[in-house]
């Protein structure tokens, strides 16, 4: 079945430490890939997106993501997290011939001092 | 500022009441959609539209109606509110094949 999986429901990380959030997809073709962030009480904000080309994508707020076709993954990373990075993060996939995006269940990130 | 505007931000309804959640975008996006977000359930698609006059159901459409008379507006109507419709509702829009721009959400409580 086609799906988007975020294996980690909740991650706790210390301020200043690195962060990696996992996203795997199961589709026949290579989809468009997105990461969104949702701060408490807010809407979802687009962090970055991958359509084609360079497999390492830079986004806003110091985030980057790497597309690995062989692993069907699109993991999000940040070298040094700030307390303001505490939020929920969603991976999403789409296709060029379809408006609809499919979202993962989300990963909640807690940042401890 | 360009974007997706949702109103109201908060609403409390009594069971059986009806209401309309408003969504407007000023980016001339063809695609608009409504999601609900519930703890542990992620984002679930209620209804979507690929252009004025065209709407379709998502995965959880029961109890909700939509219409798209203009490119800009995509209201969501709750016909007879039920406690199970207590949720946070998000409207989103996008051009073809691109990411969504989300509104800031409407937090609805049905008592």
């Amino acid at each position: 079945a086609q799906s988007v999986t975020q294996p980690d429901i909740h991650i706790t990380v210390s301020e200043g430490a690195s962060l990696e959030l996992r996203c795997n997809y199961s589709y026949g073709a290579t989809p468009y890939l997105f990461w969104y962030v949702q701060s408490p009480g807010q809407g979802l904000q687009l962090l970055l997106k991958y359509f084609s080309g360079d497999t390492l994508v830079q986004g806003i707020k110091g985030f980057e993501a790497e597309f690995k076709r062989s692993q069907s993954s699109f993991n999000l990373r940040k070298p040094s997290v700030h307390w303001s990075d505490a939020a929920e993060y969603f991976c999403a996939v789409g296709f060029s011939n379809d408006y609809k995006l499919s979202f993962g269940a989300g990963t909640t990130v807690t940042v401890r001092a | 500022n360009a974007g997706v505007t949702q109103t109201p931000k908060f609403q409390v309804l009594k069971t059986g009441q009806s209401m309309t959640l408003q969504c407007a975008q000023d980016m001339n996006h063809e695609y608009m959609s409504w999601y609900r977000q519930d703890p542990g359930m992620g984002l679930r698609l209620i209804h979507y539209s690929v252009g004025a006059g065209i709407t379709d159901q998502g995965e959880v459409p029961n109890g909700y109606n939509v219409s798209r008379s203009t490119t800009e507006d995509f209201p969501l109507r709750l016909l007879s509110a039920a406690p199970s419709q207590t949720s946070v509702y998000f409207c989103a829009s996008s051009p073809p094949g691109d990411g969504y721009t989300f509104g800031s959400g409407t937090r609805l409580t049905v008592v």
Side-chain angles (χ1 to χ4, degrees), chain A residues 51-85:
Chain A
F51 289 169
S52 64
D54 192 346
T55 56
L56 187 62
V57 181
Q58 301 298 319
I60 62 172
K61 302 178 186 283
F63 284 91
E64 65 179 25
E66 185 172 14
F67 170 62
K68 292 186 177 180
R69 186 188 306 273
S70 62
Q71 299 178 15
S72 297
S73 68
F74 189 56
N75 293 350
L76 182 71
R77 300 193 293 252
K78 186 168 185 177
S80 176
V81 299
H82 186 262
W83 64 266
S84 60
D85 294 321

Side-chain angles (χ1 to χ4, degrees), chain B residues 11-19 78-82 85 110-111:
Chain B
Q11 184 70 50
V12 179
L13 287 179
K14 294 182 179 179
T15 298
Q17 287 185 316
S18 62
M19 80 159 295
L78 279 69
L79 308 173
S80 177
Q85 293 179 304
V110 182
V111 298

Side-chain angles (χ1 to χ4, degrees), chain A residues 37-44 86-88, chain B residues 9-10 37 88-90 103-107:
Chain A
V37 60
Q38 184 181 28
S39 298
Q42 302 297 313
L44 281 75
E88 190 161 18
Chain B
K9 293 190 181 301
F10 301 94
Q37 185 178 35
V88 181
Y89 292 85
F90 288 101
S104 58
T106 296
R107 187 173 297 272

Side-chain angles (χ1 to χ4, degrees), chain A residues 18-37:
Chain A
S18 63
L19 174 68
E20 181 168 12
L21 304 181
R22 296 183 290 165
C23 175
N24 296 98
Y25 63 90
S26 175
Y27 290 86
T30 298
Y32 293 166
L33 296 156
F34 306 85
W35 274 101
Y36 286 85
V37 60

Side-chain angles (χ1 to χ4, degrees), chain B residues 20-106:
Chain B
T20 299
L21 279 61
Q22 302 291 344
C23 176
Q25 53 96 3
D26 58 3
M27 298 169 285
N28 202 34
H29 287 169
E30 295 178 359
Y31 182 80
M32 297 185 74
S33 56
W34 277 100
Y35 287 86
R36 60 178 291 174
Q37 185 178 35
D38 303 289
M41 303 291 287
L43 289 162
R44 292 186 290 171
L45 181 64
I46 305 171
H47 284 286
Y48 65 96
S49 168
V50 298
I54 306 170
T55 63
D56 207 345
Q57 297 180 350
E59 58 183 300
V60 289
N62 292 342
Y64 307 95
N65 272 358
V66 292
S67 60
R68 185 94 179 269
S69 57
T70 67
T71 299
E72 294 78 20
D73 300 300
F74 190 46
L76 177 72
R77 298 182 187 85
L78 279 69
L79 308 173
S80 177
S84 61
Q85 293 179 304
T86 293
S87 187
V88 181
Y89 292 85
F90 288 101
C91 179
S93 73
S94 78
D98 205 345
Y100 292 176
T101 300
F102 282 88
S104 58
T106 296

